Amino acid sequence: MGMSPRGIGKTMFWEFVVPVIQQVRSLVGCEYLYLVAADSKKSGRLVRYYHELGFAIREDLSVSKPEYDFCCFFMCQKVTSLRNRRNAFFRSYNIAE
């Protein structure tokens, strides 16, 4: 059909998760969205997937991690960048690649 494949996980993230994050930000004011990627190396599949969603491994920021997350990678992105990334995702959603 000429449409490039879009993963359901990415679509759900941009359609449902990001609006909730933006709503929380308007209520309590947060600057960063972070996660701990349970991957064995920085070039691993999960780290690459989160990178496609706009997350980056940051050495200058960190959070307290439980022991079972000790070898995982801290990744984050600014909440203010989510709106532009979400718009870009859906702007190219049905465009053939």
Side-chain angles (χ1 to χ4, degrees):
M1 300 184 84
M3 290 175 49
S4 61
R6 301 288 187 233
I8 189 71
K10 291 178 187 174
T11 304
M12 298 285 285
F13 176 76
W14 293 115
E15 180 64 22
F16 299 107
V17 177
V18 169
V20 171
I21 294 165
Q22 291 171 323
Q23 184 179 19
V24 168
R25 182 177 185 265
S26 71
L27 296 172
V28 296
C30 55
E31 187 174 353
Y32 289 97
L33 174 64
Y34 76 90
L35 56 83
V36 180
D39 217 330
S40 58
K41 45 192 165 178
K42 287 185 178 182
S43 60
R45 190 174 132 208
L46 190 56
V47 171
R48 287 193 320 266
Y49 179 80
Y50 289 137
H51 184 72
E52 290 174 10
L53 292 175
F55 291 88
I57 295 175
R58 297 278 301 263
E59 304 294 335
D60 60 323
L61 298 173
S62 186
V63 294
S64 296
K65 296 188 287 188
E67 185 175 329
Y68 54 83
D69 282 339
F70 183 71
C71 293
C72 299
F73 297 99
F74 171 79
M75 299 181 78
C76 68
Q77 66 176 298
K78 286 194 168 234
V79 176
T80 54
S81 68
L82 289 174
R83 184 180 71 229
N84 291 338
R85 291 180 196 270
R86 182 176 189 265
N87 290 341
F89 179 81
F90 285 114
R91 194 170 32 254
S92 64
Y93 193 76
N94 287 329
I95 297 174
E97 291 183 352

